[in-house]
Amino acid sequence: MRPRSILGVLVVAAFLGLLTYGLASEGSSGPQIGEPVPDAPLETLGGEEGATGSLADYRGRWVLVNFWASWCEPCRAESPELEALQQRYGGPRFTVLGIDTRDLTRDGLAFVREFGLTYPQLRDGDGEAAQDWGTTGVPENFLVDPDGVLRELVRGPVDARVLRQEFVPHFAADLRRDRT
Amino acid sequence: MIQVRARRLLLTGAILSAVAFTGAPAVAAGTAEGRVGPSAMSSATAEGDSQAAARGTSGGVPATPAAPKTSLADLEDEVMCPVCGTLLGLADAPQAQRQKAMINRMVDRGASKEEVKAALVDEFGSEVLALPEGSGFSLSAYLVPIVGFLLAAAGLAVAVVRWQRQPAAASESGPGEGSSPDGAAASGGSGTDRRLDEDLARYDL
């Protein structure tokens, strides 16, 4: 093979390699039901400078992970429902965990105060966590079991009926078992 | 004729390289004006004394009127809306409006351009900047076009030099093949001679 042909092949191979790398690293599809969920640490919303938290901190509990943002109108509608769920079932075996994505800290904190949200909140300023979870927008809700496996997800806002039908049946039995 | 071609090639290559060099960072930045990276990044450094202390409540009018260090218009084509994925100046989403409000608040408090950008990076990460940072791996966004331009120019120069040498080598070897013009014609001569013969034959001179 002539040197020029070898060079040409190398150039084409380099471009193909670059294209493949770009496609492979261009956002994940996120966890599917039955798969483990990402648990990279995130900044806490309104916490001390540098304080972080992650899903791993809640291992052993059912966690309803809620991706939201203060500029999102449907998030405003569903927040009271999520707070009601937290008030009803929150404890050592269940919690709602909010992740404020691509939002200003000040606006996120104002949102939390406005709706009186008591469940823990993390910050995903650059949207990487939202990308890792495969979200396509906000709000989106993911139910994670005590072993860190995704059990249910709803893309879009939830209301009391959706929570009762789609999420509660998964963890209600566990909570009842603990109470007996 | 070959020298004219070589000059045209050089000129074309220079124009294409210049377009590629100035165009690449502009594509990365997404600006319609095609402003190029490092100079735009460093434009805010000569702001003068710091009047960066907060002047009171957010959005309040300063007690002593003074020229702002920067403005929303100055910044909105250098930062992105993280939700829309477009320049803030082109974005109209609710998040973009909040970002603009934040910038205006900081500007009212006397923050410099770099301070506003640093605050936005703190909130949204470095991807909020429209132009890549001039450090670390991001430096490659500026270096790659420069290196590409230099390689292209070097390749073009080598190709032109080789092309110019070929006819000179051919004309040097041509007369040596035969000691007489008849001998050169009989043996077919150089490429130039052959083309000349063909042209003459075509016009039947």
Side-chain angles (χ1 to χ4, degrees):
Chain A
M1 211 182 213
R2 292 188 301 169
R4 276 190 192 174
S5 304
I6 294 171
L7 185 64
V9 167
L10 285 174
V11 167
V12 170
F15 273 114
L16 286 175
L18 204 59
L19 178 66
T20 308
Y21 170 75
L23 289 173
S25 61
E26 184 65 36
S28 63
S29 58
Q32 306 299 312
I33 290 179
E35 291 180 359
V37 296
D39 63 356
L42 297 171
E43 227 181 284
T44 54
L45 179 65
E48 287 176 13
E49 183 77 26
T52 60
S54 81
L55 202 60
D57 299 338
Y58 304 95
R59 201 51 60 85
R61 281 198 233 185
W62 286 88
V63 183
L64 178 59
V65 178
N66 168 243
F67 278 88
W68 64 277
S70 65
W71 41 263
C72 152
E73 281 303 316
C75 302
R76 301 176 66 81
E78 72 168 9
S79 288
E81 305 291 352
L82 291 169
E83 177 59 25
L85 191 76
Q86 175 72 6
Q87 292 295 329
R88 186 175 172 85
Y89 296 107
R93 293 290 285 163
F94 173 83
T95 186
V96 180
L97 174 65
I99 300 182
D100 181 18
T101 182
R102 296 189 187 101
D103 203 359
L104 290 167
T105 305
R106 168 196 162 114
D107 294 337
L109 288 171
F111 184 96
V112 168
R113 274 196 301 271
E114 180 181 349
F115 292 99
L117 305 179
T118 60
Y119 47 87
Q121 302 284 350
L122 300 176
R123 255 201 100 235
D124 175 35
D126 57 10
E128 270 196 37
Q131 199 170 349
D132 290 343
W133 282 73
T135 65
T136 57
V138 282
E140 292 194 9
N141 294 276
F142 301 80
L143 183 67
V144 182
D145 73 11
D147 298 320
V149 174
L150 182 64
R151 290 298 173 202
E152 190 60 73
L153 72 94
V154 171
R155 298 194 191 277
V158 293
D159 58 18
R161 186 186 60 81
V162 170
L163 288 170
R164 199 169 48 245
Q165 289 180 357
E166 305 295 332
F167 289 118
V168 172
H170 287 277
F171 58 80
D174 262 4
L175 298 188
R176 269 198 295 273
R177 206 178 303 128
D178 285 351
R179 284 185 191 147
T180 57
Chain B
M1 190 160 84
I2 291 172
Q3 285 180 343
V4 169
R5 273 197 205 170
R7 270 189 235 125
R8 279 185 196 160
L9 264 176
L10 266 172
L11 186 61
T12 309
I15 291 169
L16 285 174
S17 299
V19 167
F21 174 62
T22 56
V27 168
T31 61
E33 296 164 9
R35 278 193 281 163
V36 181
S39 58
M41 287 280 290
S42 63
S43 62
T45 54
E47 294 282 4
D49 287 344
S50 64
Q51 294 181 353
R55 293 186 202 171
T57 58
S58 61
V61 177
T64 52
K69 286 190 168 188
T70 186
S71 65
L72 174 63
D74 194 22
L75 276 152
E76 63 184 4
D77 59 353
E78 293 183 25
V79 295
M80 306 289 285
C81 166
V83 173
C84 327
T86 62
L87 286 173
L88 190 61
L90 303 175
D92 206 26
Q95 172 56 18
Q97 300 303 327
R98 287 161 184 244
Q99 225 171 312
K100 290 175 185 177
M102 173 196 164
I103 291 172
N104 279 326
R105 279 195 302 272
M106 292 191 69
V107 165
D108 287 344
R109 282 190 227 128
S112 68
K113 191 182 212 179
E114 294 310 315
E115 285 169 340
V116 174
K117 281 185 174 179
L120 286 170
V121 168
D122 200 40
E123 291 279 357
F124 300 113
S126 59
E127 289 188 5
V128 75
L129 299 175
L131 298 173
E133 292 172 352
S135 62
F137 181 74
S138 301
L139 197 57
S140 60
Y142 301 106
L143 290 180
V144 167
I146 294 172
V147 169
F149 169 74
L150 291 174
L151 285 175
L156 200 60
V158 166
V160 164
V161 166
R162 279 189 187 170
W163 198 344
Q164 281 186 327
R165 278 187 193 156
Q166 277 176 2
S171 63
E172 277 171 13
S173 65
E177 286 178 10
S179 57
S180 68
D182 289 339
S187 68
S190 66
T192 308
D193 289 344
R194 190 177 64 251
R195 281 198 293 276
L196 185 61
D197 291 339
E198 286 169 6
D199 287 344
L200 289 171
R202 191 185 309 146
Y203 293 107
D204 196 22
L205 294 174

